[in-house]
Amino acid sequence: MLRLRLPRRPRLPRAGRAVRGLGRHRQDVREPADRAVHRRGAERWGRGGSRAKHRSSGQAGRGEAMSRRLLWLAALLAAAPALAEPAAPISGRSRVIDGDTIDVDGRRIRLWGIDAPEGAQQCARDGRAYPCGDEAAEALAALIGGAEPRCEPRDRDRYGRTVATCYVTRAGVRVDLAAELVALGWALDFGRYSRGAYEREEREARAARRGMWRDDEIEPPWEWRRARR
């Protein structure tokens, strides 16, 4: 009796294994993309946070700058009346303190634009010392005489004194005390502040050898003070 052998059908893989394998393959493909998307989202949020911080810090900086401008403007407006209106003239009975300082109506005033020998300053003439500071003060007192000076404030120095140009009136003519003192040779033009306002009077006094210009050598008051600090 003959037996027929039929060819075996090819063996197929189990469906479960195929699906699981395919699932693993798809999962392997998807996971990097998911991680990339997550990473891009995190970076986007991070950049957004940085931009927000930058914007907030920038706004704070602009706010501080605006506050400073407003404070500066308020201070300027508060000072505007003082800047717009010159200080009132000072006049009255006077007392000489030194060659370039007087008291007028109880207020200490420094003559503007000149520098006279200090009270303790000594000068030399013909080889002999003499108190040129006292001489300058006496010359200023003689210029004022019995008149009441009228002083026009210009500034205030570091000692709190009013710096002013002071005048006396003689025969109807207004005389600048500082200019007269320089012309007599008992003060020098203080170019650091006057910008040469009394250079002409100083040249005339030097040419005529008046006051200190007769001395053996002139030590400017500002140099005398600097040497003794």
Side-chain angles (χ1 to χ4, degrees):
M1 185 173 184
L2 296 176
R3 293 181 180 178
L4 296 176
R5 292 184 178 181
L6 297 175
R8 295 180 179 179
R9 287 184 290 185
R11 194 172 183 177
L12 296 175
R14 295 181 181 178
R17 291 181 181 176
V19 171
R20 284 197 297 272
L22 182 59
R24 283 197 299 271
H25 175 71
R26 289 179 179 172
Q27 185 179 6
D28 293 340
V29 172
R30 285 195 304 270
E31 282 179 351
D34 293 343
R35 286 195 297 270
V37 171
H38 179 72
R39 184 172 59 256
R40 286 196 296 271
E43 291 175 353
R44 189 181 302 115
W45 279 105
R47 287 196 298 269
S50 299
R51 286 197 297 269
K53 290 180 181 178
H54 179 70
R55 284 196 300 269
S56 62
S57 61
Q59 290 171 355
R62 287 193 295 271
E64 292 176 0
M66 181 61 71
S67 299
R68 287 195 295 269
R69 291 193 190 98
L70 291 175
L71 288 174
W72 179 83
L73 181 60
L76 184 62
L77 291 174
L83 295 174
E85 299 178 4
I90 304 168
S91 61
R93 300 186 62 179
S94 65
R95 179 171 65 92
V96 173
I97 305 303
D98 58 27
D100 52 31
T101 308
I102 58 178
D103 276 352
V104 178
D105 196 26
R107 295 179 62 176
R108 186 64 51 93
I109 295 177
R110 171 73 155 81
L111 297 182
W112 176 84
I114 67 170
D115 203 2
E118 296 294 329
Q121 187 171 345
Q122 296 284 312
C123 298
R125 182 178 297 166
D126 299 328
R128 299 179 62 180
Y130 75 96
C132 52
D134 292 342
E135 294 280 349
E138 291 176 7
L140 179 57
L143 283 172
I144 295 173
E148 293 187 353
R150 177 184 174 87
C151 299
E152 299 176 357
R154 303 178 63 122
D155 201 354
R156 189 174 293 275
D157 67 10
R158 60 179 177 174
Y159 303 108
R161 299 177 298 185
T162 299
V163 180
T165 303
C166 297
Y167 304 90
V168 293
T169 302
R170 291 183 188 153
V173 178
R174 195 168 74 156
V175 178
D176 183 346
L177 290 176
E180 285 294 300
L181 202 61
V182 174
L184 290 173
W186 291 114
L188 302 177
D189 176 55
F190 207 174
R192 178 181 176 184
Y193 301 102
S194 71
R195 297 184 179 181
Y198 300 113
E199 280 184 349
R200 181 175 61 83
E201 289 82 359
E202 185 175 300
R203 286 195 303 268
E204 292 175 356
R206 183 173 186 173
R209 292 180 59 81
R210 301 187 192 118
M212 293 185 296
W213 295 107
R214 289 181 292 166
D215 294 351
D216 301 335
E217 183 179 358
I218 289 182
E219 183 179 17
W222 54 84
E223 291 184 3
W224 186 88
R225 290 192 297 270
R226 187 183 304 119
R228 285 153 182 80
R229 285 176 183 168

